[in-house]
Amino acid sequence: MSTSYGRGMMNLLNGVDISRWDFDNFTKGMEGENYVAERLRGAGFKLVRNIYLTNEELGRPTEIDILAVSKKGAFCIEVKNVSGVIKGDFKSQYWSLSSATGVKMSILNPIVQNEIHVGALEESYKGYTYKNIVIYGKSLYNFYLED
């Protein structure tokens, strides 16, 4: 990708620099989000996807994968579509992921990540309550969550 294209896209996406994106992971992530969205629509939810809101705490935009609304409430949904072994606890900032291909990395705890999203929604749309939901889409995974 040329630098000028990356800068042009960055402007369209409000400062999000796509020149550093891993498009294989991006595609896999979108597949997971589409999979979850199809099932939520089938269950009668109204959806808004890929919402960019500025979070005061972060001082930068944060992306909400899916906001699902029904008679039972509003659900802020973070979708992950990774394969491998995930280790961590609910309060840690980062979890470890050993991918199915043998790659080991730290990932932001999606529960903590989505708490930031819920906070951004509550800052932007006061008076509503949003439930924090993390869904692992079509992935193959093993969790080792500690207390």
Side-chain angles (χ1 to χ4, degrees):
M1 175 184 313
S2 74
T3 306
S4 61
Y5 177 74
R7 274 194 223 118
M9 288 301 291
M10 185 168 40
N11 291 336
L12 288 173
L13 295 171
N14 294 323
V16 177
D17 184 358
I18 69 165
S19 65
R20 293 186 219 158
W21 282 2
D22 178 336
F23 281 96
D24 288 337
N25 283 340
F26 177 77
T27 301
K28 188 173 182 182
M30 288 304 298
E31 287 172 0
E33 290 176 27
N34 290 338
Y35 177 83
V36 170
E38 287 172 20
R39 273 129 195 93
L40 289 169
R41 272 193 204 98
F45 285 88
K46 302 295 182 197
L47 306 180
V48 181
R49 296 183 56 190
N50 304 317
I51 303 166
Y52 284 88
L53 295 174
T54 299
N55 179 282
E56 296 280 330
E57 188 178 321
L58 293 176
R60 63 176 174 79
T62 186
E63 181 191 4
I64 298 165
D65 291 338
I66 301 172
L67 178 61
V69 180
S70 75
K71 292 177 184 176
K72 296 188 181 209
F75 303 86
C76 181
I77 301 174
E78 176 65 24
V79 179
K80 296 295 182 191
N81 195 30
V82 297
S83 298
V85 176
I86 300 166
K87 293 182 182 181
D89 64 63
F90 291 103
K91 295 179 183 168
S92 293
Q93 186 75 16
Y94 292 93
W95 289 355
S96 65
L97 167 66
S98 298
S99 74
T101 60
V103 175
K104 294 183 181 186
M105 66 183 83
S106 288
I107 60 171
L108 183 60
N109 174 342
I111 297 166
V112 171
Q113 178 183 6
N114 213 36
E115 285 174 358
I116 293 167
H117 297 162
V118 168
L121 278 168
E122 289 173 344
E123 285 174 14
S124 298
Y125 303 101
K126 296 178 181 356
Y128 296 96
T129 301
Y130 303 93
K131 294 172 182 74
N132 180 348
I133 308 283
V134 176
I135 298 175
Y136 277 78
K138 296 171 54 175
S139 310
L140 299 173
Y141 56 84
N142 291 306
F143 280 104
Y144 295 96
L145 294 177
E146 302 160 0
D147 292 332

